[in-house]
Amino acid sequence: MISTTDMQTAKSHTATLQAQETYAELIHRLTRTNVFSANAVDNNLANSIANKFFNCSSVYSHVLYLPSRTCFRFAKPTMVVPLFVSGDTVIVNNKHTIVKCTNDSIFYNNGLGVVNTGAPSCLLVSQ
Amino acid sequence: MSVGVAVNENIIQFDLPVCFQQDLLYISENYCAADSPGMLEFKRIGFHRSKFDEYDYDELYNFVNNRLNLLGFMLVNPMVVYLITTWPGQAYTAHQDDTLVVHVPITTNPHCRMLIGDNTYHLTTDNFYLTNTYKCHSAFNLGTSPRTHIVFSAKEKS
C-alpha cells in the first residue's frame, strides 16, 4: 500500500522532472534559435533589483537572447542582469572599458554594450 | 620620421600617409561586402573574408612591410591580402592566430572595437596597426555601419 507521504514524494519528483524538462527544452529552444530575440517580461523583479542596488526604478523589462558572435548596444540607461552566460560574454560601457559578464554581477549604465564572443547568452534587460 | 607608436604590448600604431588614405577611400566607395562570395564563409565561421582585385596592393604592401621591418617584423605573404567585414551587431568568436595580423581600416565607426586580452581598441582609418593576435582576441561592431579592414599576416623577422 502506498502511503500519502510516498504519493506526495512521487508527485514532487514528477513535478521536478517536468520542471527540468521544461527548463532543458527552453534552453534547447533558445540555443537553437539563431536570431537575436527579446521577450517582454514582468517588471517587478527588475524593479526590485533596480531599487535595491541602483536606487532607481525600472519601467519595462525584457529577456534578451543573444546568439553566439553577436553584440548589442543600448542607447538609454540600462540595467543588465545575466541569467545564463558563458565566460566569453563581455560588457562594454560608454568609455569602452570592458568587464567580464558573469552570473553573479549586475550592470547599470548609459550606453552599455553586450558582446558575445562565445556561447549564446540570456540576459534580463530593463530600462 | 615616426616609426610607430606602441600603445601597449597588444598593438602598435603606425601613421598612414594621405595618399594611401585616398586609395582606401576609393576601395570603400567601390567595394561592396554584401555582393562578395565571401558571404558563404561568413555564414559558416563568422568571418566575412573576401578579395577586392580592382586595387593594386603592391605599394601599400611595400610601405607597410618597410615600416614593420624597422621594428623587427615582416609581412608573411604578399599574395595573401584579404578584406574582412564586421557587420553591425556582429562579434567574432574569441580565438588565437598563428601569426601577427596587420589591420588597415577602410571603413569603421566609433562603436567598432577590437578586443585583445582584456583591452579594447578602436582602429581608425588614418593609421594602420600591428596587432598581437597570438593572444586571445575578438572584434565587434556595436555601431550601425559595416567595418571593413584590409588584413595582412605578419611575423617577427628571424
Side-chain angles (χ1 to χ4, degrees), chain B residues 108-128:
Chain B
T108 189
N109 68 65
H111 300 294
C112 292
R113 310 288 295 186
M114 186 166 183
L115 173 65
I116 306 175
D118 291 331
N119 296 303
T120 66
Y121 306 93
H122 175 59
L123 312 188
T124 56
T125 52
D126 49 355
N127 296 291
F128 71 91

Side-chain angles (χ1 to χ4, degrees), chain A residues 69-73 96 98 115 117, chain B residues 89 91 93-94 111 115 120 142:
Chain A
R69 302 197 304 248
T70 54
C71 56
F72 190 79
R73 185 168 62 91
H96 301 298
I98 59 158
V115 180
T117 63
Chain B
T93 306
H111 300 294
L115 173 65
T120 66
L142 288 165

Side-chain angles (χ1 to χ4, degrees), chain B:
Chain B
M1 179 182 69
S2 68
V3 177
V5 179
V7 178
N8 60 22
E9 75 277 11
N10 294 334
I11 195 162
I12 301 174
Q13 176 181 306
F14 297 85
D15 291 336
L16 192 67
V18 176
C19 59
F20 287 116
Q21 291 177 36
Q22 288 168 348
D23 288 358
L24 298 185
L25 191 64
Y26 166 78
I27 296 175
S28 71
E29 287 171 351
N30 291 279
Y31 168 75
C32 180
D35 294 341
S36 165
M39 193 57 121
L40 289 175
E41 198 173 7
F42 162 67
K43 285 177 179 166
R44 189 168 62 85
I45 56 174
F47 279 72
H48 183 197
R49 191 167 66 175
S50 60
K51 292 195 169 188
F52 178 73
D53 295 330
E54 293 164 39
Y55 176 71
D56 185 1
Y57 296 94
D58 285 353
E59 246 182 281
L60 178 65
Y61 177 90
N62 289 331
F63 175 80
V64 170
N65 200 27
N66 287 339
R67 284 288 185 274
L68 294 186
N69 287 344
L70 296 173
L71 295 182
F73 299 95
M74 60 185 282
L75 293 181
V76 174
N77 186 349
M79 303 307 290
V80 183
V81 181
Y82 286 111
L83 274 72
I84 287 187
T85 301
T86 314
W87 298 97
Q90 188 196 345
Y92 293 147
T93 306
H95 64 283
Q96 291 172 278
D97 291 334
D98 296 333
T99 62
L100 301 167
V101 174
V102 172
H103 284 256
V104 186
I106 299 174
T107 57
T108 189
N109 68 65
H111 300 294
C112 292
R113 310 288 295 186
M114 186 166 183
L115 173 65
I116 306 175
D118 291 331
N119 296 303
T120 66
Y121 306 93
H122 175 59
L123 312 188
T124 56
T125 52
D126 49 355
N127 296 291
F128 71 91
Y129 302 84
L130 177 66
T131 56
N132 184 358
T133 44
Y134 293 141
K135 280 190 170 184
C136 191
H137 65 280
S138 175
F140 53 86
N141 183 353
L142 288 165
T144 54
S145 59
R147 160 205 191 255
T148 302
H149 287 188
I150 297 173
V151 292
F152 301 103
S153 295
K155 65 179 183 181
E156 297 90 343
K157 279 169 91 174
S158 51

